[in-house]
Amino acid sequence: MDVPTLRDADPNRLFEAADAYGALATAFGGHADGWRDGVDNRVRNSGWTGSAADGAQQSLSRTTGKLAAAQMELARIAPVLREGAEAFVLAQAKLRAALADASANGFQVSDDGGVSWPPPSAAERHDPDAPNRSRQGTEIRDRIGDALTEAAHADQVTAERLRQYTTDARTGAGLDPATAAMRLNSAVLDAINPFGGPEDLVKAGMPGKDAPPTEVNAWWKALPVDEQQRLIKEYPAELGGRDGLPTPARDQANRINLDRLVDDLSSRPNLSDQEKKKLEGFRSIQHRLGEDQGKQPPAYLMLIGDQGQGRAAIAYGNPDTADDVVAYVPGLNTEVKNMGGGDADRARDLWQSAHDTDPSRSTASIAWLGYDTPQAKGISPDALAVAGDARAKQGGEAYQGFLQGLRASHEGQPAHLTALGHSYGSFTVGQAAQRPGGIPADDIILVGSPGTGAQQASQLGVGADHVWVGAAEHDPVSHLPSKNEAKGIGIGAGVGGLIGGPLGAVAGGFIGDKIGGHGDPHELWFGQDPASTEFGAHRFDVADGPLGFESHSDYWNQGEGRDGHSLRNMGLIVSGHGDRVFGQEGR
């Protein structure tokens, strides 16, 4: 397989052949039915008896079996051709996307897939910011090589599968009902797949899980529209969660997959408690999407899945075309059902706040649950100790990829992108921001944060001036003690019994600070208090909130006066008007 062969190939001819074989199989099936009903069954039910009748019926029955076997064989040829054609289309799209990148960067591509480029100029050699053309060329060469390899493999597998039918026709095996039925049930040619089981050429032809979102986006856009639709309908679970795919495609795939998940869980007997929660959550999202149908802004289902506790993301407004995009990460005790309820409300309210702030700019507001949040009773050092940092690190990796996907699928000038984390979700956002490569955000908002794992705002990769913190004075999470301070939690528990609930943890923290000895009064469970002066972020004004845990969820309050400052301030930041934010002194 070489570049011109794959680049200029016309897979539509294979699709046409598949359609022709499908029509032939249907017509032959009608012929077989006509024979069975008009000849075989008619003679069998005629009342004819005797040795001649027995011999005739056996002969007719054998013919009926041969016709049925031939029909099963014919019926399998069209799917083989169609799968091979789709695999070629996918490989061709990868090749064309790589060739387009090569041309855009001034690389030359040979027929065998080699990539060359002119030597760097003197200015480029001395410019540390000049692109690494050697690395770029190698990456493009590898992409071209992968596309050629996949096309050659699809060609080989498809030819082997078709060759089996040719052999069956020559040997007569295709007319044996037992052989045809066995192959129908076990899938043809398992032996050609070294991993066992029939190989799915189409799924194998999709970009690998580690492919960057920019590559996924280029591959998708290189596909013909009819092939995109075929893939969405056949592989919704695989495509709906692919970072880099355009939002409308993800939405279409995820809605199909959502219905399938609900149907699957609904049909299972004896669901586990976690499965019941996921089913409840998926149904709540179905209901939410139904309620939002036809309303403004339009809702897009950007993620759905049954991994772990369940996955979901809902966008209000199209992130691919919006001027301003915000992706909100919830925290402790969030379940999938919340994405059809309170967290969707928060995303919608934030969209409204940003829109009201600057109606001249378009906004997309996303609630993202792409990780398993810690499930704990109440908020305390013990709960956070159980939660640890593992989930935030896993969630941070997924969130980083999601944001990179938003950048890759956006049309036109890049959007102003804001990362928003609440509660443990702010720790997740912080972990994402400190991963290699950081997150492609312009601003970061942290509300009700127990820490980010960073000691200073400058460690989050967007510049300290673009890190914004909301911390209600009565929010116990924003006062959770450090691990050293937690030494006093045992004493604080007694105090907490008098004060009540999470505030007992706060009191215990203060006592623990005296008992355990602590050098930094602004150290929280997951690092420096983001609301502290030492952290170096902008603290925006937030009402003190009611006493107790209720204030931890008060950041989306739409009340009058200072009660609504938090949501209005977040709307200002999201819409790019941070200079108008109502500030508050750091702790």
Side-chain angles (χ1 to χ4, degrees):
M1 185 68 65
D2 58 22
V3 170
T5 299
L6 179 56
R7 181 193 62 208
D8 303 330
D10 183 10
N12 284 329
R13 298 176 65 180
L14 277 178
F15 284 118
E16 292 169 358
D19 292 340
Y21 267 101
L24 177 61
T26 299
F28 191 87
H31 169 64
D33 290 343
W35 165 269
R36 185 187 64 249
D37 296 336
V39 179
D40 191 359
N41 289 345
R42 188 172 183 179
V43 171
R44 189 180 304 278
N45 298 324
S46 66
W48 183 25
T49 60
S51 58
D54 292 343
Q57 289 175 6
Q58 290 175 7
S59 177
L60 293 175
S61 181
R62 285 194 295 271
T63 300
T64 299
K66 289 179 180 180
L67 289 173
Q71 196 275 332
M72 282 191 282
E73 288 267 295
L74 280 172
R76 291 191 62 81
I77 293 177
V80 168
L81 288 169
R82 193 166 288 113
E83 183 177 347
E86 290 192 6
F88 294 146
V89 170
L90 268 58
Q92 190 178 64
K94 287 182 180 179
L95 174 66
R96 289 178 174 173
L99 293 177
D101 286 346
S103 176
N105 287 281
F107 296 131
Q108 299 294 320
V109 179
S110 61
D111 288 353
D112 65 358
V115 177
S116 60
W117 55 91
S121 65
E124 289 176 325
R125 287 196 301 271
H126 294 90
D127 182 0
D129 296 324
N132 187 328
R133 295 178 67 78
S134 176
R135 190 189 72 240
Q136 288 179 334
T138 300
E139 290 176 351
I140 291 174
R141 181 200 65 199
D142 291 344
R143 288 167 59 191
I144 292 172
D146 289 344
L148 295 177
T149 298
E150 288 175 12
H153 179 65
D155 181 56
Q156 177 188 3
V157 171
T158 302
E160 288 293 334
R161 290 175 174 175
L162 294 174
R163 191 173 295 117
Q164 183 66 57
Y165 296 111
T166 303
T167 301
D168 286 352
R170 187 177 63 253
T171 63
L175 298 178
D176 177 41
T179 300
M182 179 187 67
R183 287 184 179 151
L184 185 64
N185 292 330
S186 63
V188 175
L189 297 176
D190 286 2
I192 67 170
N193 181 7
F195 302 104
E199 182 177 12
D200 188 329
L201 292 176
V202 178
K203 189 181 293 187
M206 296 179 188
K209 292 184 178 180
D210 295 331
T214 51
E215 184 179 324
V216 173
N217 184 261
W219 163 77
W220 183 258
K221 288 183 175 179
L223 290 171
V225 174
D226 56 348
E227 180 62 20
Q228 292 175 351
Q229 288 301 307
R230 278 195 294 267
L231 290 176
I232 286 172
K233 292 174 182 177
E234 293 297 324
Y235 298 91
E238 290 79 7
L239 293 175
R242 288 310 298 262
D243 296 323
L245 253 66
T247 293
R250 293 183 71 159
D251 176 66
Q252 185 182 354
N254 283 322
R255 287 175 187 252
I256 294 172
N257 193 36
L258 174 61
D259 291 343
R260 291 183 181 180
L261 289 171
V262 170
D263 290 344
D264 175 56
L265 286 171
S266 299
S267 65
R268 294 184 194 176
N270 303 319
L271 293 178
S272 67
D273 289 342
Q274 188 175 81
E275 287 173 332
K276 290 177 182 177
K277 286 185 177 181
K278 285 193 281 192
L279 178 57
E280 178 188 8
F282 294 150
R283 283 176 170 163
S284 75
I285 292 172
Q286 277 185 325
H287 180 70
R288 180 76 185 219
L289 293 173
E291 285 188 331
D292 291 334
Q293 187 71 31
K295 295 182 180 179
Q296 292 296 324
Y300 296 88
L301 185 59
M302 300 197 67
L303 179 66
I304 200 73
D306 62 354
Q307 304 95 317
Q309 298 168 2
R311 303 284 186 265
I314 294 180
Y316 286 95
N318 186 349
D320 294 352
T321 57
D323 298 315
D324 301 303
V325 179
V326 56
Y328 148 62
V329 183
L332 285 169
N333 297 325
T334 303
E335 298 177 350
V336 176
K337 68 179 180 181
N338 301 119
M339 302 303 287
D343 286 315
D345 291 340
R346 289 178 175 181
R348 179 66 175 74
D349 291 345
L350 188 52
W351 178 91
Q352 191 67 57
S353 178
H355 175 73
D356 291 345
T357 296
D358 191 345
S360 70
R361 296 177 63 82
S362 57
T363 304
S365 179
I366 306 165
W368 178 88
L369 182 63
Y371 75 120
D372 289 334
T373 67
Q375 303 295 307
K377 293 182 179 180
I379 302 297
S380 68
D382 286 343
L384 290 181
V386 172
D389 61 6
R391 298 190 183 206
K393 289 182 182 296
Q394 293 169 357
E397 181 179 5
Y399 185 65
Q400 180 189 47
F402 181 74
L403 295 188
Q404 290 171 342
L406 294 180
R407 282 291 192 217
S409 63
H410 194 271
E411 303 169 8
Q413 292 295 316
H416 169 246
L417 180 58
T418 301
L420 167 60
H422 173 240
S423 186
Y424 188 88
S426 68
F427 182 38
T428 300
V429 169
Q431 293 301 291
Q434 294 172 82
R435 286 181 54 78
I439 55 176
D442 300 292
D443 287 283
I444 292 176
I445 300 175
L446 310 168
V447 289
S449 178
T452 64
Q455 292 302 108
Q456 293 184 323
S458 58
Q459 294 175 266
L460 299 183
V462 298
D465 282 345
H466 291 276
V467 179
W468 307 84
V469 179
E473 279 306 303
H474 295 158
D475 178 0
V477 175
S478 71
H479 290 287
L480 280 171
S482 69
K483 296 174 185 179
N484 284 340
E485 290 176 313
K487 293 176 181 178
I489 286 298
I491 299 175
V495 179
L498 299 175
I499 299 177
L503 291 181
V506 178
F510 292 139
I511 297 173
D513 181 54
K514 303 300 182 183
I515 295 175
H518 190 276
D520 188 347
H522 298 301
E523 189 79 10
L524 299 184
W525 191 267
F526 292 120
Q528 187 78 9
D529 178 2
S532 69
T533 303
E534 288 85 347
F535 191 71
H538 291 292
R539 186 182 182 191
F540 57 85
D541 189 41
V542 172
D544 292 345
L547 288 172
F549 185 67
E550 185 180 347
S551 61
H552 183 56
S553 301
D554 208 37
Y555 297 97
W556 278 262
N557 190 323
Q558 301 187 59
E560 296 295 326
R562 191 170 175 228
D563 282 345
H565 274 193
S566 176
L567 183 58
R568 288 193 291 274
N569 279 330
M570 289 193 288
L572 286 165
I573 298 164
V574 168
S575 60
H577 296 288
D579 57 323
R580 292 163 50 190
V581 162
F582 294 92
Q584 188 174 5
E585 289 295 325
R587 291 172 178 163

